[in-house]
Amino acid sequence: MALLQISEPGQSPDPHQRRIAVGIDLGTTHSLVAAVRHGVAECLPDEQGRVILPSVVRYLPPGSGSGRHIGFDALAAQVQDPANTVSSVKRLMGRKLADLPGAGRLPYAVVDGPGMVAVRTVAGDKTPVEVSAEILATLRFRAEDTFNDDLYGAVITVPAYFDDAQRQATKDAAQMAGLNVLRLINEPTAAAIAYGLDQGAEGVYAIYDLGGGTFDVSILRLTRGVFEVLATGGDSALGGDDYDRALADWALERLGAGVHAADLPAGERAALLAEARRCKEALSALAATGGAVTLALSLHGQAAQLAVTHTDFAAATAELTQRTMAAVKRVLRDAQLDRADVQGVVMVGGSTRMPVVRDAVEAFFGQPPLTNLNPDEVVALGAAIQANQLAGNNPDGDLLLLDVIPLSLGLETMGGLVERIVPRNTTIPSALAQDFTTFKDGQTALALHVVQGERDLVADCRSLARFELRGIPPMAAGAARIRVTFTVDADGLLTVSAKEQSTGVEARIDVKPSYGLSDEQIAAMLQDSFATAQQDMQARALVEARVDAQRMLDATRSALAADGHWLSDADRDAIDALLQALDSTRAADDAAAIEAATEALAKGTEDFAAQRMNRSIAQALAGQNVENL
Ligand code: ADP
Ligand code: MG
């Protein structure tokens, strides 16, 4: 692009020209949608004024009305119809049964579907992608109703832990819900944006996110308004649900029941867990020292009651809180930092309302954590701010986000060993290469096996993809030079390419992993899904071309406003004509034409831009001695 300036501060597009972009926190327990309105990010409420949507879908027998309930209605039916009420589906995203040792304890039946698991309901087998799409579509409709307009796109958050398969599954769900995914960002990164840490003091921050089903901890470093994730860690199977179970088990033990919650019949178990959760949340609201809450349960049809104090709760759950703090220590070690280096701690996730958690975090870091934003909302709010920026609504603030990959990526080498190419916690987007060679004389093909994980043996890592490089010219063993490049894009998705250096023969694979839904299966699911337009690659290209065009238009106009008087009438007319042309092309649905017009404007303003650069350098140099330069 020829011009440097993007737009004058405060000159944002007219309200009616703004593109509506939302941030969505697709949570294990709750999901939310937020948008920047009147310059402020806020969560959008449903018709009853509730911003939270329980991430729960209940499937009804075929032929009964809408076929499903989503959110609060589904949650209310969980006790009564646990087998068809799908909650915590995020834990199943992009997973196979082999990945889910705890699947047998879920209140609904999980079976191995095509590649990914599926939930067996009265309405048929539902993949986690389909269930998530129901939740996302509900939030999409909420946003469209709020603005009475179509959405331009959405930023969706995922745990820093999510691997390629889980991220891809999230994208597929969004596509199925008719959303244009502007970007996936990590939840802790979104929280940091919501707290405006980029506007604040430079330094190192820790993000402690304890939700319903996952625990994430991330270490961020802020430098000149830009932040970088130094390290992430946590436990993808630890959250508020575990506190519920621990309290339920504590109650059963107190009553001498001789069973764990997991052993109860599904209905009683679900009721007990719901009651434990209610007590846990009620306890958070009690003053630190005071009182007790009453836990009521029914065991084999017998009603019973128990008083629960803070001390009881702390004792019943101490092990869980300690596990989160152990993960905090590990991630600090990964970042090669000491707890004293952390200048602020951000609390995210509903479970950080628990005093036991706040106390443990405060004791460890020696400072009270930041809790002034609603911990349920911060992730969605940050995503909304990011979405607003990606939509080009905020041209004077270009936030640079650097995320990291959660698990190392590498190649299988001789003997089933892993050669690590991209170490975990590498910032993305990024590209890393390594040279390999043939190990046999005359070898003309090389098999590449891409794996993910921290272990040295391929057998202990997760297999992501296999492909072959063919057409290597026959050479002595060790003479061929094959450069393998791993490219991870801003969404954390991976492309691997292999190129023989002397001949240039090349092979590549997009690791569109690994849960193995075929394109046909995805297409079929798309057709079955909502009657929404399929957001295909073309739509995306168009959107991107328009964003670039708008940026170019804004930049040119502000440059003309500042320095247009330097131009001759003829030059000015030429630029005006190009501006006009781009402005009118932008409205049409032709990405290639928009790109061409953008390019033409960039070319046509090159000299002007160079002149502006020269003058500003000349101005900067004016009055200085050569010695000072
Ligand atoms: P997720 O990101 O996994 O969807 P959330 O951030 O929405 O999770 O947090 C949900 C969890 O927060 C649930 O386990 C819920 O019980 C817990 N939670 C919400 N409010 C409170 C509270 N006042 N005290 C303790 N836990 C709470
Ligand atoms: Mg969350």
Side-chain angles (χ1 to χ4, degrees), residues 351-434:
S351 298
T352 60
R353 289 210 181 81
M354 288 186 285
V356 288
V357 166
R358 291 189 175 182
D359 292 350
V361 170
E362 178 165 351
F364 179 78
F365 285 104
Q367 59 177 319
L370 296 170
T371 53
N372 53 309
L373 288 179
N374 183 334
D376 300 322
E377 294 186 1
V378 279
V379 168
L381 296 175
I385 294 168
Q386 175 71 3
N388 192 52
Q389 271 159 350
L390 289 173
N393 288 334
N394 185 15
D396 34 276
D398 236 357
L399 186 67
L400 198 53
L401 290 181
L402 301 174
D403 274 344
V404 300
I405 59 153
L407 296 168
S408 300
L409 299 166
L411 278 183
E412 174 167 1
T413 59
M414 292 301 293
L417 287 176
V418 178
E419 177 74 29
R420 214 157 282 154
I421 312 271
V422 186
R424 82 194 206 89
N425 287 327
T426 300
T427 51
I428 57 171
S430 107
L432 287 167
Q434 192 154 321

Side-chain angles (χ1 to χ4, degrees), residues 25 27-30 90 209-214 239-241 244 277 280-281 284 349-351 353-354 375-376:
D25 173 5
T28 311
T29 321
H30 299 132
K90 190 170 173 180
D209 178 351
L210 188 60
T214 54
D241 298 347
D244 302 345
R277 176 171 174 165
K280 171 190 77 173
E281 297 183 6
S284 299
S351 298
R353 289 210 181 81
M354 288 186 285
D376 300 322

Side-chain angles (χ1 to χ4, degrees), residues 46 60 75 171 227 271 309 316 342 349 364 433:
D46 66 8
L60 304 172
L75 184 65
K171 277 193 151 178
F227 53 86
T309 65
V342 174
F364 179 78

Side-chain angles (χ1 to χ4, degrees), residues 28-301:
T28 311
T29 321
H30 299 132
S31 297
L32 300 94
V33 58
V36 173
R37 295 210 267 183
H38 319 298
V40 184
E42 52 192 40
C43 288
L44 307 179
D46 66 8
E47 278 160 2
Q48 278 110 297
R50 305 171 294 205
V51 296
I52 273 175
L53 178 73
S55 304
V56 184
V57 180
R58 179 191 179 196
Y59 288 94
L60 304 172
S64 41
S66 70
R68 64 213 188 277
H69 290 154
I70 298 157
F72 284 100
D73 293 346
L75 184 65
Q78 197 167 29
V79 169
Q80 161 208 342
D81 187 20
N84 298 302
T85 307
V86 187
S87 59
S88 295
V89 74
K90 190 170 173 180
R91 289 190 169 190
L92 310 181
M93 287 291 265
R95 287 282 170 249
K96 299 174 181 164
L97 263 191
D99 302 324
L100 299 165
R105 290 196 299 276
L106 290 169
Y108 43 81
V110 177
V111 296
D112 252 333
M116 189 183 339
V117 293
V119 180
R120 183 141 288 175
T121 77
V122 280
D125 289 356
K126 301 290 175 188
T127 67
V129 170
E130 290 171 273
V131 180
S132 301
E134 298 280 5
I135 296 161
L136 288 170
T138 305
L139 295 174
R140 179 191 145 205
F141 297 144
R142 181 190 292 183
E144 288 178 346
D145 288 349
T146 305
F147 292 104
N148 202 13
D149 202 350
D150 290 342
L151 294 189
Y152 168 78
V155 166
I156 299 174
T157 59
V158 292
Y161 262 110
F162 262 24
D163 64 17
D164 281 319
Q166 293 164 302
R167 284 169 200 264
Q168 188 64 50
T170 305
K171 277 193 151 178
D172 290 349
Q175 190 186 21
M176 207 181 265
L179 285 167
N180 172 33
V181 181
L182 299 171
R183 183 172 291 184
L184 302 181
I185 65 173
N186 287 336
E187 289 160 10
T189 307
I193 299 170
Y195 267 98
L197 294 185
D198 54 312
Q199 318 284 320
E202 298 192 346
V204 171
Y205 291 87
I207 316 293
Y208 179 106
D209 178 351
L210 188 60
T214 54
F215 172 58
D216 265 325
V217 52
S218 302
I219 308 295
L220 308 185
R221 185 173 54 206
L222 294 146
T223 322
R224 267 172 270 118
V226 173
F227 53 86
E228 179 188 3
V229 185
L230 296 180
T232 81
D235 188 334
S236 58
L238 176 61
D241 298 347
D242 298 290
Y243 284 76
D244 302 345
R245 268 191 290 277
L247 182 58
D249 282 340
W250 172 88
L252 290 172
E253 196 188 318
R254 265 296 158 91
L255 292 171
V259 290
H260 288 285
D263 308 322
L264 296 177
E268 278 194 353
R269 177 173 67 212
L272 174 57
L273 289 177
E275 174 66 0
R277 176 171 174 165
R278 191 194 60 77
C279 285
K280 171 190 77 173
E281 297 183 6
L283 265 177
S284 299
L286 284 186
T289 46
V293 297
T294 305
L295 186 150
L297 75 168
S298 135
L299 199 57
H300 312 309

Side-chain angles (χ1 to χ4, degrees), residues 459-482:
D460 297 328
C461 289
R462 187 182 173 87
S463 169
L464 291 182
R466 291 173 189 274
F467 68 113
E468 267 189 17
L469 177 65
R470 294 176 173 282
I472 304 171
M475 284 182 246
R481 230 161 37 89
I482 296 149

Side-chain angles (χ1 to χ4, degrees), residues 63 147 246 306 369 500 555:
F147 292 104
L306 268 178
E500 203 286 311

